[in-house]
Amino acid sequence: MRALVIEKIGQAGFREIDAPQPKADEVLIDVKHVGLCGSDLNTFRGTNPLSKLPRIPGHEIGGVIRSAGSEVPVEFSNGASVIVIPYSTCGKCSSCLNGRENACKYNETLGVQKDGGMSTSIVVHHDRLIRNDQLIPAHLALVEPLSVGFHAVARGRVSAKDTVVVLGGGMIGVGAMLGAKARGARVIAVEVSEEKHAPLLKLGVDHVINPTKEDLEKALATLTNGNGADVVVEAVGLPETFRAAIDLVCFSGRVVYVGYAKSEVSYNTSLFNLKELDILGSRNATRTDFDAVIAFISGQEELASSLISRVFAWAEADLAFEYWEANRNKTFKVMINLAEG
């Protein structure tokens, strides 16, 4: 079968590989749509420390079941549409034992630590699947990236009384914005790309601030009567945005880090204590987050489709990384349609 492989830094191409064979508790899926994530782009750039080359990318996967092993529950029958949960769980580490399998100590995410879904078909354990026959096929591949943002909002305990600042208007940041709006919160986006401002406002964001054109702290103070944000979600992954989250959050507020900085970050830690902050990490997403996203985008087909900036046919998938690299300022989600071409 055919797969798209990142062979080396800056080079992706097609390769013929052996077709996978499912075990008794596994399901063989014909992959229909795969979204590209920032981690995939970083693997292409050679800046993803968790991924080794060559690597088949792709963990935002929607597809159709072709066959299932003898021990697979009957709900996963041939022809059923499914969303893939791309994280692995060991069931034995402290996170798994505490019911937080999304943060499994030994997690291996498809397309990152092991080969992913950018191939004609893929085999996964049945407990890594969510059956869904309601969403249109392309939207199945939107659920995972939005779920990561919804999880960050859940970690931040966002409620309708909160003002939430989201640093970064990429897809994870957008997921956090939509997750916060779904909970009734007021949402302020911080995004440097002017081309994304109008689309973010159309999604329902209340305000957008460009920190390269106005003083971020002053602008936020004006919008919050000088208090700052109840919750700040960092979805960029730069030292300066890590520090900004601490400055922007209110006294007794909550900071959620879903991005991660590629270099060490230095802080004035007095604000941790003076503000008595809750500082939280956020990793991947839970089944509850997946279900929340599915419920949110069901019946909102136009909104979900607006998040897909460009769709590449399978035959042209090797061009997708260079396109995204050249058009980051106006791109939310690049998707590959394996059913086309």
Side-chain angles (χ1 to χ4, degrees), residues 15 39 70-71 99 120 129 189 217 237 241 260 278 302 326 338:
R15 182 196 290 184
S39 63
S70 58
E71 297 176 9
T120 307
L129 296 176
E217 286 192 59
T241 50
Y260 63 91
D278 292 350
E302 184 177 351
L338 283 82

PDB file of all heavy atoms in Angstrom, residues 15 39 70-71 99 120 129 189 217 237 241 260 278 302 326 338:
ATOM      1  N   ARG A  15       5.898   6.228  -0.550  1.00  0.00           N
ATOM      2  CA  ARG A  15       6.638   4.983  -0.485  1.00  0.00           C
ATOM      3  C   ARG A  15       5.641   3.835  -0.419  1.00  0.00           C
ATOM      4  O   ARG A  15       4.583   3.958   0.208  1.00  0.00           O
ATOM      5  CB  ARG A  15       7.537   4.961   0.756  1.00  0.00           C
ATOM      6  CG  ARG A  15       8.386   3.688   0.880  1.00  0.00           C
ATOM      7  CD  ARG A  15       8.939   3.539   2.282  1.00  0.00           C
ATOM      8  NE  ARG A  15       9.962   4.521   2.619  1.00  0.00           N
ATOM      9  CZ  ARG A  15      10.621   4.509   3.774  1.00  0.00           C
ATOM     10  NH1 ARG A  15      10.356   3.576   4.687  1.00  0.00           N
ATOM     11  NH2 ARG A  15      11.525   5.423   4.027  1.00  0.00           N
ATOM     12  N   SER A  39       2.878  19.404  15.126  1.00  0.00           N
ATOM     13  CA  SER A  39       3.926  18.425  15.400  1.00  0.00           C
ATOM     14  C   SER A  39       4.404  17.754  14.118  1.00  0.00           C
ATOM     15  O   SER A  39       5.587  17.425  13.977  1.00  0.00           O
ATOM     16  CB  SER A  39       3.432  17.373  16.397  1.00  0.00           C
ATOM     17  OG  SER A  39       2.353  16.630  15.874  1.00  0.00           O
ATOM     18  N   SER A  70     -11.566 -10.958  15.593  1.00  0.00           N
ATOM     19  CA  SER A  70     -12.624 -11.774  16.215  1.00  0.00           C
ATOM     20  C   SER A  70     -13.013 -11.290  17.608  1.00  0.00           C
ATOM     21  O   SER A  70     -14.114 -11.599  18.083  1.00  0.00           O
ATOM     22  CB  SER A  70     -12.164 -13.232  16.294  1.00  0.00           C
ATOM     23  OG  SER A  70     -10.964 -13.347  17.040  1.00  0.00           O
ATOM     24  N   GLU A  71     -12.145 -10.540  18.299  1.00  0.00           N
ATOM     25  CA  GLU A  71     -12.440 -10.086  19.655  1.00  0.00           C
ATOM     26  C   GLU A  71     -12.908  -8.630  19.708  1.00  0.00           C
ATOM     27  O   GLU A  71     -13.050  -8.063  20.796  1.00  0.00           O
ATOM     28  CB  GLU A  71     -11.196 -10.258  20.532  1.00  0.00           C
ATOM     29  CG  GLU A  71     -10.748 -11.711  20.686  1.00  0.00           C
ATOM     30  CD  GLU A  71      -9.465 -11.845  21.480  1.00  0.00           C
ATOM     31  OE1 GLU A  71      -9.016 -10.825  22.063  1.00  0.00           O
ATOM     32  OE2 GLU A  71      -8.903 -12.952  21.509  1.00  0.00           O
ATOM     33  N   GLY A  99      -6.769   7.518  36.176  1.00  0.00           N
ATOM     34  CA  GLY A  99      -7.824   7.836  35.227  1.00  0.00           C
ATOM     35  C   GLY A  99      -7.483   8.949  34.262  1.00  0.00           C
ATOM     36  O   GLY A  99      -8.376   9.495  33.612  1.00  0.00           O
ATOM     37  N   THR A 120      -2.674   4.455   3.143  1.00  0.00           N
ATOM     38  CA  THR A 120      -3.933   3.948   2.615  1.00  0.00           C
ATOM     39  C   THR A 120      -4.803   3.324   3.694  1.00  0.00           C
ATOM     40  O   THR A 120      -6.023   3.502   3.724  1.00  0.00           O
ATOM     41  CB  THR A 120      -3.659   2.916   1.506  1.00  0.00           C
ATOM     42  OG1 THR A 120      -2.780   3.491   0.541  1.00  0.00           O
ATOM     43  CG2 THR A 120      -4.943   2.492   0.826  1.00  0.00           C
ATOM     44  N   LEU A 129     -10.878   3.778  19.128  1.00  0.00           N
ATOM     45  CA  LEU A 129     -11.817   4.222  18.101  1.00  0.00           C
ATOM     46  C   LEU A 129     -13.093   4.789  18.706  1.00  0.00           C
ATOM     47  O   LEU A 129     -13.566   4.325  19.751  1.00  0.00           O
ATOM     48  CB  LEU A 129     -12.192   3.058  17.178  1.00  0.00           C
ATOM     49  CG  LEU A 129     -11.074   2.450  16.331  1.00  0.00           C
ATOM     50  CD1 LEU A 129     -11.612   1.245  15.571  1.00  0.00           C
ATOM     51  CD2 LEU A 129     -10.500   3.478  15.376  1.00  0.00           C
ATOM     52  N   ALA A 189      -8.690  36.561  22.065  1.00  0.00           N
ATOM     53  CA  ALA A 189      -7.608  35.895  21.349  1.00  0.00           C
ATOM     54  C   ALA A 189      -6.427  36.844  21.189  1.00  0.00           C
ATOM     55  O   ALA A 189      -6.614  38.041  20.951  1.00  0.00           O
ATOM     56  CB  ALA A 189      -8.093  35.431  19.977  1.00  0.00           C
ATOM     57  N   GLU A 217      -0.573  44.069  27.574  1.00  0.00           N
ATOM     58  CA  GLU A 217      -1.042  44.210  28.954  1.00  0.00           C
ATOM     59  C   GLU A 217      -2.014  45.374  29.103  1.00  0.00           C
ATOM     60  O   GLU A 217      -3.037  45.263  29.784  1.00  0.00           O
ATOM     61  CB  GLU A 217       0.151  44.384  29.891  1.00  0.00           C
ATOM     62  CG  GLU A 217       0.941  43.095  30.120  1.00  0.00           C
ATOM     63  CD  GLU A 217       1.924  43.214  31.264  1.00  0.00           C
ATOM     64  OE1 GLU A 217       1.482  43.489  32.401  1.00  0.00           O
ATOM     65  OE2 GLU A 217       3.132  43.035  31.020  1.00  0.00           O
ATOM     66  N   GLY A 237       3.977  28.225  22.558  1.00  0.00           N
ATOM     67  CA  GLY A 237       5.179  27.462  22.845  1.00  0.00           C
ATOM     68  C   GLY A 237       6.462  28.253  22.707  1.00  0.00           C
ATOM     69  O   GLY A 237       7.473  27.720  22.255  1.00  0.00           O
ATOM     70  N   THR A 241       5.805  33.917  25.412  1.00  0.00           N
ATOM     71  CA  THR A 241       4.382  33.700  25.682  1.00  0.00           C
ATOM     72  C   THR A 241       4.177  32.921  26.978  1.00  0.00           C
ATOM     73  O   THR A 241       3.166  33.107  27.659  1.00  0.00           O
ATOM     74  CB  THR A 241       3.694  32.979  24.508  1.00  0.00           C
ATOM     75  OG1 THR A 241       4.456  31.818  24.138  1.00  0.00           O
ATOM     76  CG2 THR A 241       3.569  33.901  23.308  1.00  0.00           C
ATOM     77  N   TYR A 260       4.434  23.945  24.302  1.00  0.00           N
ATOM     78  CA  TYR A 260       5.628  23.727  25.118  1.00  0.00           C
ATOM     79  C   TYR A 260       6.810  24.396  24.445  1.00  0.00           C
ATOM     80  O   TYR A 260       6.992  24.341  23.235  1.00  0.00           O
ATOM     81  CB  TYR A 260       5.907  22.240  25.383  1.00  0.00           C
ATOM     82  CG  TYR A 260       6.215  21.394  24.173  1.00  0.00           C
ATOM     83  CD1 TYR A 260       7.518  21.208  23.743  1.00  0.00           C
ATOM     84  CD2 TYR A 260       5.194  20.746  23.486  1.00  0.00           C
ATOM     85  CE1 TYR A 260       7.811  20.417  22.646  1.00  0.00           C
ATOM     86  CE2 TYR A 260       5.463  19.952  22.384  1.00  0.00           C
ATOM     87  CZ  TYR A 260       6.778  19.784  21.967  1.00  0.00           C
ATOM     88  OH  TYR A 260       7.060  19.008  20.878  1.00  0.00           O
ATOM     89  N   ASP A 278      -2.918  29.131  39.989  1.00  0.00           N
ATOM     90  CA  ASP A 278      -2.978  27.714  39.627  1.00  0.00           C
ATOM     91  C   ASP A 278      -2.305  27.598  38.267  1.00  0.00           C
ATOM     92  O   ASP A 278      -2.803  28.143  37.277  1.00  0.00           O
ATOM     93  CB  ASP A 278      -4.426  27.231  39.530  1.00  0.00           C
ATOM     94  CG  ASP A 278      -5.131  27.189  40.873  1.00  0.00           C
ATOM     95  OD1 ASP A 278      -4.454  27.351  41.899  1.00  0.00           O
ATOM     96  OD2 ASP A 278      -6.354  27.005  40.884  1.00  0.00           O
ATOM     97  N   GLU A 302     -21.087  24.409   8.927  1.00  0.00           N
ATOM     98  CA  GLU A 302     -20.425  25.570   8.324  1.00  0.00           C
ATOM     99  C   GLU A 302     -19.241  26.029   9.167  1.00  0.00           C
ATOM    100  O   GLU A 302     -18.165  26.331   8.636  1.00  0.00           O
ATOM    101  CB  GLU A 302     -21.423  26.716   8.150  1.00  0.00           C
ATOM    102  CG  GLU A 302     -20.827  27.931   7.446  1.00  0.00           C
ATOM    103  CD  GLU A 302     -21.860  29.033   7.216  1.00  0.00           C
ATOM    104  OE1 GLU A 302     -23.066  28.798   7.440  1.00  0.00           O
ATOM    105  OE2 GLU A 302     -21.449  30.141   6.825  1.00  0.00           O
ATOM    106  N   ALA A 326       4.556  27.970   3.779  1.00  0.00           N
ATOM    107  CA  ALA A 326       4.499  29.253   3.078  1.00  0.00           C
ATOM    108  C   ALA A 326       3.255  30.068   3.402  1.00  0.00           C
ATOM    109  O   ALA A 326       3.193  31.260   3.074  1.00  0.00           O
ATOM    110  CB  ALA A 326       4.578  29.011   1.571  1.00  0.00           C
ATOM    111  N   LEU A 338      -7.648  11.300   1.390  1.00  0.00           N
ATOM    112  CA  LEU A 338      -7.119  10.068   0.794  1.00  0.00           C
ATOM    113  C   LEU A 338      -8.149   9.395  -0.103  1.00  0.00           C
ATOM    114  O   LEU A 338      -7.803   8.514  -0.900  1.00  0.00           O
ATOM    115  CB  LEU A 338      -6.655   9.097   1.863  1.00  0.00           C
ATOM    116  CG  LEU A 338      -5.296   9.431   2.508  1.00  0.00           C
ATOM    117  CD1 LEU A 338      -5.454  10.482   3.592  1.00  0.00           C
ATOM    118  CD2 LEU A 338      -4.629   8.189   3.062  1.00  0.00           C
TER     119      LEU A 338
END
